[in-house]
Amino acid sequence: MTAILLDGKAIGRQIREVTSKRVTALRARTGVTPALAVILVGQNPASRLYVNNKIKACAEVGIRSSLHEFPADVDSGAVVERIKQLNADREVHGILVQLPLPAHHDIHAVLRTIAVEKDVDGFHLYNVGGLVLGETVFPPCTPYGVMKLLDFAGIDVTGKNVTIVGASNIVGKPMALMMLAREATVAICHVRTRDLAQYTILADILIVAAGVPNLIIPQMVRSGAVVIDVGINRLPDRRLVGDIDFEGVRKKAAYITPVPGGVGPMTVTMLLENTVTAAERQTSGLHAPVDPEALAQAE
Ligand code: GUN
């Protein structure tokens, strides 16, 4: 068997075409152009690359963006103050704080400052809590992108065994909640998990976000599984790889995501979608928590 590639670049492009049309329609209807404010603290080269990609992608679909940079040694108060200004700015519809923040910051306090209706990354306490109850205002972009990839490929998750490797707030935990909401059976593994393989081998859908190159080898994967690689690792020889032994596992899986070109472009795509949704809601006077019926009536 050779796995079918889940091409996040191509699927992302299709979704972005729709997003771009929504931007044009909103502007024609209200005169408002969706706008995203991105906050970057410090000089982490990977973060800078991600932020540049997000800003470029915004421009491609007609979203305005602004970059708010701070030196690594800035105190949380200054970042919080800027977020408050952006919350009050009616011309800004989405706010994103690129993570990780330097260690001296209270990340939860910073993220909690973002107005819920502008929290397009979905990391605010309210948004995360909403995921538990099935009332998210904005689904976090990476797990949302994974769900879209599966939906586009026609892969139903209901009743499937889903194993998630990695329990981060950004990927693993929200991914598990989204899968649970779709009635999958979910196992979450992490650095303390004993005998990882006994969980991964059970998976109909295996999602790996651990940040460890070659963590998943073919013997750990069930034949015919769907394998989603969220990892992005730069090897000493400068090659970019995920957490999965791609060449080995692709011979065993039914579907697999490449790195790069799999989940990464989907994360950015869902950020664009959330930003346009934020602008649509704000221009129709709707704020979180959003009543879907009111939103439908406003459209
Ligand atoms: N760092 C790694 N992934 C993400 C993400 O999706 N959003 C933000 N803000 N920071 C990240």
Side-chain angles (χ1 to χ4, degrees):
M1 176 183 294
T2 301
I4 296 170
L5 276 192
L6 291 172
D7 185 343
K9 214 166 159 187
I11 294 171
R13 202 177 304 123
Q14 280 187 51
I15 298 173
R16 288 181 202 197
E17 277 172 21
V18 178
T19 307
S20 177
K21 288 192 179 122
R22 286 170 63 190
V23 172
T24 310
L26 182 70
R27 198 179 308 119
R29 199 167 69 240
T30 65
V32 170
T33 301
L36 174 70
V38 179
I39 295 176
L40 176 62
V41 182
Q43 293 294 335
N44 180 326
S47 289
R48 179 161 291 281
L49 184 67
Y50 295 145
V51 162
N52 288 345
N53 284 344
K54 289 170 186 179
I55 287 175
K56 187 162 157 259
C58 279
E60 282 166 7
V61 298
I63 294 174
R64 280 193 301 118
S65 62
S66 55
L67 177 59
H68 303 257
E69 289 189 76
F70 293 90
D73 61 358
V74 72
D75 67 80
S76 291
V79 178
V80 162
E81 207 38 56
R82 182 66 57 90
I83 292 172
K84 286 181 178 165
Q85 285 166 10
L86 294 166
N87 284 344
D89 186 342
R90 288 173 60 87
E91 292 188 2
V92 170
H93 307 100
I95 302 169
L96 173 157
V97 177
Q98 187 63 31
L99 302 177
L101 288 173
H104 65 280
H105 287 272
D106 178 349
I107 175 174
H108 298 298
V110 170
L111 294 177
R112 264 205 309 275
T113 309
I114 299 173
V116 171
E117 67 272 19
K118 298 190 179 187
D119 176 36
V120 289
D121 243 346
F123 295 161
H124 186 284
L125 182 64
Y126 183 99
N127 255 324
V128 178
L131 262 186
V132 177
L133 300 178
E135 275 190 57
T136 343
V137 183
F138 294 105
C141 302
T142 299
Y144 188 23
V146 171
M147 297 310 288
K148 284 275 181 184
L149 262 184
L150 297 173
D151 289 345
F152 263 74
I155 298 164
D156 186 16
V157 307
T158 311
K160 299 275 171 64
N161 286 346
V162 176
T163 299
I164 298 165
V165 182
S168 69
N169 291 341
I170 295 180
V171 184
K173 289 182 203 168
M175 188 79 255
L177 290 165
M178 283 185 198
M179 284 293 179
L180 194 57
R182 295 265 198 106
E183 300 182 317
T185 303
V186 183
I188 312 176
C189 303
H190 45 77
V191 282
R192 301 269 184 218
T193 299
R194 283 184 288 117
D195 192 4
L196 181 61
Q198 73 174 330
Y199 294 94
T200 60
I201 201 79
L202 279 182
D204 302 309
I205 301 174
L206 175 61
I207 302 170
V208 188
V212 181
N214 282 320
L215 179 66
I216 306 296
I217 56 175
Q219 295 89 312
M220 298 166 76
V221 177
R222 183 173 180 161
S223 285
V226 176
V227 182
I228 308 286
D229 196 343
V230 187
I232 304 179
N233 309 290
R234 180 76 69 183
L235 296 181
D237 66 7
R238 306 292 302 150
R239 266 187 314 134
L240 211 53
V241 297
D243 293 350
I244 289 165
D245 166 12
F246 180 81
E247 287 309 325
V249 170
R250 75 184 303 190
K251 297 190 183 87
K252 207 166 173 194
Y255 293 87
I256 193 166
T257 58
V259 177
V263 175
M266 294 300 292
T267 297
V268 179
T269 300
M270 302 336 291
L271 172 68
L272 303 176
E273 186 176 298
N274 279 350
T275 303
V276 176
T277 300
E280 287 171 350
R281 287 174 182 166
Q282 285 162 47
T283 50
S284 53
L286 294 168
H287 293 287
V290 172
D291 172 359
E293 270 182 34
L295 183 62
Q297 279 167 14
E299 277 168 359

